[in-house]
Amino acid sequence: MGKLFGTDGIRGVANVFPMTTDLAMKVGSSTAHIFKSSHRRPKIIIGKDTRLSGYMIETAITSGICAMGVDVLLVGPLPTPGIAYITSSMRADAGVVISASHNPYEYNGIKIFGNDGFKLPDEIENYIEELILNGEIERLPKPSASEIGRARRIDDAHGRYIVYLKNTFPRDLSLEGIKIVIDCAHGAGYRVAPEVFEELGAEVVLTGDRPNGKNINKDCGALYPEHMASIVREQGAAAGFALDGDADRVILADEQGEILDGDQMMAICAKHYIEHNKLKDNTVVATIMSNLGFEVALRGLGGKLIRTPVGDRYVVEHMRQNGYNFGGEQSGHMIFLDHGTTGDGILSALQVLAVMLREGRPLSELKKIMERYPQKLVNVPVRATKPLDQVPEIVKLQHAMEQRLGAEGRMVIRPSGTEPVIRVMVEGASREVIEDVAYSMASCIQKHMTGQD
């Protein structure tokens, strides 16, 4: 067995290791063992997205938790940030999310939150891995028959989360008379999202709201926002928002149907926050994947960008450690630490709309604050990864390509934390150059990591 946790929890094809019922039960037992409190009856929240395999994994994790003498509170399909919020607000000992986020329905995953609603640090994930992989969890003493945990459903979790989201929107603003398009990706936000915006007064045009267990993320949502953008144009909407499968990120379309990614949304918000003294230290925390144009725009506003490894939890960790209050990822994760503990697609959409209303200008104008540098991302499928710096041919070519890009460009090569691919991202002033560099590197990696030309 190899490492279980990637950049965002455990993930894989359902019914294939590591996403098996056997492992899920052990994850449940390990989580219960680590977070079990001695001073009261411990409890752990479990939520999920709309995948068919969610029932199977949910039952297995519940069994593992109950077997360790800890109660389970089941919330059913709910966005990942909603489960983080419920975990904290109900003072549970931990929260578990069953979701593979943006991946196709065949995949599933497990994410764990602490009692404060924040994702677990590497040390605790590593401890869970040790308990499982060395068999220690199976040797731990189990409670007596009278001390086994119970499982029950929470019927009002959706309502609690909706109230929380509405309270993050300024009370002096209203969405009355504003038409917006929401693509729920047939995922976890399909019930919550439309209710939030409608209760705030918006006219909502809904799509991707008919989950059947197998259509999550299929040609819709944050990975395929073109459909949402076309509806914005057809309906004459002020904006459109495409969520991903677990609704922890969002991609935007302006009133002209032009798509904006996470960098552009962050730039719009950051400008407003800097001008109104709401951005701590005038600093935004993003990842190595954020566009150079975002960094240049911030610099022009008197702000700065700090980069972390890929993964919204690394962004959050850096923000918490250094007192920053805003950050995110190009992929659409946006973290507003003044409001929440993790990326939240619905909350992010609300904050962008609030800036739009405060500024009194359409999104097509607000987005001009940032000019995107050409960027090319190539995914190279691999069966197994080894450190790239141990392959001389790759190291040599990477050095040559970085010299070719010069000071006006950059390249990031990294293994994906959620898929068996190596990602090659190149950006710079010339699209022709960056595409040539990206494909040259991808070809070299494919040859020397997979043996294929």
Side-chain angles (χ1 to χ4, degrees):
M1 292 185 184
K3 184 175 172 62
L4 299 178
F5 286 89
T7 55
D8 199 17
I10 302 170
R11 196 171 298 187
V13 176
N15 244 8
V16 177
F17 183 84
M19 289 311 303
T20 62
T21 53
D22 177 61
L23 188 95
M25 188 177 295
K26 292 176 181 177
V27 171
S29 295
S30 300
T31 303
H33 170 69
I34 290 172
F35 289 99
K36 186 174 182 178
S37 55
S38 58
H39 61 284
R40 59 179 173 79
R41 185 74 181 181
K43 58 189 177 187
I44 292 177
I45 307 290
I46 298 181
K48 60 184 179 180
D49 63 23
T50 56
R51 295 164 206 273
L52 180 63
S53 58
Y55 298 98
M56 174 184 79
I57 303 298
E58 177 186 60
T59 302
I61 294 176
T62 299
S63 296
I65 293 172
C66 289
M68 295 301 289
V70 175
D71 291 342
V72 172
L73 304 180
L74 299 163
V75 303
L78 192 71
T80 288
I83 297 159
Y85 167 73
I86 294 295
T87 298
S88 175
S89 68
M90 293 194 69
R91 301 187 181 185
D93 295 274
V96 177
V97 181
I98 303 165
S99 172
S101 187
H102 62 278
N103 292 131
Y105 90 91
E106 296 93 344
Y107 287 77
N108 217 325
I110 302 171
K111 310 176 191 181
I112 305 170
F113 290 93
N115 59 8
D116 56 2
F118 287 97
K119 291 181 180 178
L120 300 185
D122 289 340
E123 311 86 77
I124 298 181
E125 287 187 346
N126 291 339
Y127 183 34
I128 291 174
E129 283 188 359
E130 290 175 14
L131 288 173
I132 295 172
L133 298 182
N134 66 16
E136 185 178 345
I137 191 64
E138 297 168 10
R139 298 189 292 271
L140 291 174
K142 302 295 190 296
S144 66
S146 63
E147 296 174 325
I148 290 172
R150 302 180 182 185
R152 64 181 176 88
R153 297 204 169 269
I154 307 176
D155 295 326
D156 64 346
H158 289 79
R160 291 173 183 241
Y161 181 47
I162 288 170
V163 170
Y164 154 74
L165 286 170
K166 287 167 59 182
N167 284 335
T168 70
F169 192 73
R171 296 192 69 85
D172 62 321
L173 296 180
S174 171
L175 295 178
E176 290 286 345
I178 296 177
K179 181 188 288 188
I180 60 173
V181 178
I182 304 292
D183 183 346
C184 299
H186 301 301
Y190 81 101
R191 286 175 55 194
V192 172
E195 291 188 41
V196 169
F197 292 101
E198 286 172 353
E199 290 183 20
L200 288 171
E203 178 185 348
V204 176
V205 179
L206 205 55
T207 184
D209 62 328
R210 296 286 187 271
N212 61 17
K214 296 183 178 181
N215 61 355
I216 187 170
N217 298 315
K218 185 174 175 58
D219 300 324
C220 61
L223 257 63
Y224 304 96
E226 294 81 12
H227 177 61
M228 173 271 294
S230 68
I231 297 176
V232 169
R233 290 190 293 271
E234 293 167 4
Q235 294 285 329
F241 300 95
L243 305 171
D244 67 340
D246 67 336
D248 68 347
R249 59 174 166 146
V250 65
I251 294 296
L252 166 70
D254 65 21
E255 79 283 0
Q256 297 176 353
E258 296 294 322
I259 295 170
L260 283 69
D261 64 16
D263 288 339
Q264 293 168 294
M265 289 187 284
M266 286 191 286
I268 289 172
C269 291
K271 179 179 184 294
H272 181 80
Y273 296 156
I274 288 173
E275 292 174 346
H276 292 81
N277 297 315
K278 292 184 177 180
L279 185 64
K280 291 184 180 178
D281 293 334
N282 283 350
T283 298
V284 179
V285 182
T287 76
I288 56 175
M289 300 300 283
S290 274
N291 194 278
L292 269 173
F294 181 28
E295 189 169 350
V296 171
L298 275 177
R299 202 179 302 139
L301 293 167
K304 68 176 181 177
L305 181 70
I306 292 178
R307 297 180 184 270
T308 73
V310 172
D312 65 311
R313 72 191 184 103
Y314 297 116
V315 173
V316 173
E317 285 177 7
H318 192 88
M319 291 168 67
R320 294 178 72 193
Q321 290 168 2
N322 296 278
Y324 303 126
N325 64 338
F326 182 52
E329 293 190 285
Q330 186 186 74
S331 60
H333 288 116
M334 294 171 67
I335 298 99
F336 299 81
L337 271 192
D338 292 338
H339 298 298
T341 60
T342 189
D344 189 324
I346 302 172
L347 188 154
S348 299
L350 290 173
Q351 306 315 307
V352 171
L353 287 172
V355 170
M356 183 185 79
L357 291 172
R358 291 272 192 233
E359 295 288 333
R361 293 188 292 154
L363 293 168
S364 61
E365 290 187 20
L366 295 178
K367 73 179 182 183
K368 293 178 182 178
I369 181 60
M370 172 187 160
E371 183 176 345
R372 296 184 81 255
Y373 276 47
Q375 192 175 70
K376 184 66 180 180
L377 176 65
V378 181
N379 292 324
V380 185
V382 292
R383 288 185 292 271
T385 61
K386 57 183 175 180
L388 296 172
D389 59 8
Q390 293 182 11
V391 184
E393 294 85 354
I394 295 176
V395 173
K396 182 179 179 180
L397 182 62
Q398 182 176 357
H399 180 67
M401 292 295 102
E402 287 173 343
Q403 286 187 319
R404 182 180 176 189
L405 289 169
E408 290 297 309
R410 66 188 189 100
M411 175 166 51
V412 178
I413 303 175
R414 66 177 186 89
S416 168
T418 59
E419 301 174 76
V421 301
I422 290 177
R423 305 194 194 281
V424 179
M425 190 280 288
V426 184
E427 64 183 356
S430 166
R431 180 167 297 279
E432 181 180 352
V433 170
I434 66 166
E435 289 188 353
D436 186 52
V437 169
Y439 286 121
S440 295
M441 283 305 312
S443 177
C444 180
I445 291 170
Q446 185 173 50
K447 178 179 180 179
H448 295 286
M449 297 289 281
T450 68
Q452 300 176 0
D453 289 318

